[in-house]
Amino acid sequence: DIQMTQSPSTLSASVGDRVTITCRASQSINSWLAWYQQIPGKAPKLLIYKTSSLETGVPSRFSGSGSGTEFTLTISSLQPDDFATYYCQQYNSYWTFGQGTKVEIK
Amino acid sequence: QVQLQESGPGLVQSSQTLSLTCTVSGGSISSSDHYWSWIRQHPVKGLEWIGYIYNSGNTFYNPSLLSRVTISVDTSKSQFSLKLSSVTAADTAVYYCARGRGYGYGIDYWGQGTLVTVSS
């Protein structure tokens, strides 16, 4: 099984900050990685697929990068709607999610 | 706009079988491009993929649940279903049905989720 490890687990930031979340895979997943945003009580929302492709309608302040086993999600300028939990997901071999990164208000 | 809606009992007795149905509207469940999926989220925890069905009958399951899971599709009703047998308290979770848009494109539509509690 491919394990996905996100860091940090919690991140405290302010509006306007640049935020980076890291996701590491236990083995190479090529570029088969997606990122999701989840607000409490809601289903996750797709932000980025195939490492760096922005889903339609998602603001351009979100970006993704990486390859192989290390990937990052960057929010260039944090907005009030961005305080949420973020998950990475690999789909190179079955599907596995990271444990989540909660972005909270500093 | 594609919509997915879970339905089924919110309370299941321990050792019994959990059964949920997802009704798809606004799009074809028969498309060979899509992966009709079940994902669960334990209380205050992360997401766990259960399995998916695609191309009207091919299934892939999470190896850790393989012996207990069955996913099936009824294209005439635009529904797909989940059965999870021999449940325990560890199966208490919010269950989501969702659509994988195609290989490499992520999960683009989700149901609202339904809480299933396993009681002893």
Side-chain angles (χ1 to χ4, degrees), chain B residues 40 48-51 61-69 84 91:
Chain B
R40 68 182 182 181
E48 180 181 28
W49 170 67
I50 299 170
Y61 300 134
N62 186 322
S64 68
L65 299 169
L66 179 60
S67 64
R68 299 194 292 132
V69 175
L84 182 66
D91 295 308

Side-chain angles (χ1 to χ4, degrees), chain A residues 14 25 36 66 78 85 89:
Chain A
S14 302
Y36 301 85
L78 200 65
T85 300
Q89 177 220 1

Side-chain angles (χ1 to χ4, degrees), chain B residues 11-74:
Chain B
L11 186 65
V12 180
Q13 296 292 319
S14 182
S15 80
Q16 299 302 301
T17 296
L18 179 159
S19 295
L20 294 173
T21 296
C22 182
T23 302
V24 179
S25 59
S28 173
I29 200 171
S30 301
S31 170
S32 60
D33 291 333
H34 299 138
Y35 297 75
W36 302 101
S37 315
W38 289 97
I39 294 158
R40 68 182 182 181
Q41 187 166 31
H42 297 91
V44 199
K45 286 189 179 179
L47 299 159
E48 180 181 28
W49 170 67
I50 299 170
Y52 56 67
I53 189 166
Y54 72 101
N55 213 10
S56 298
N58 296 296
T59 52
F60 276 90
Y61 300 134
N62 186 322
S64 68
L65 299 169
L66 179 60
S67 64
R68 299 194 292 132
V69 175
T70 302
I71 296 175
S72 59
V73 65
D74 186 338

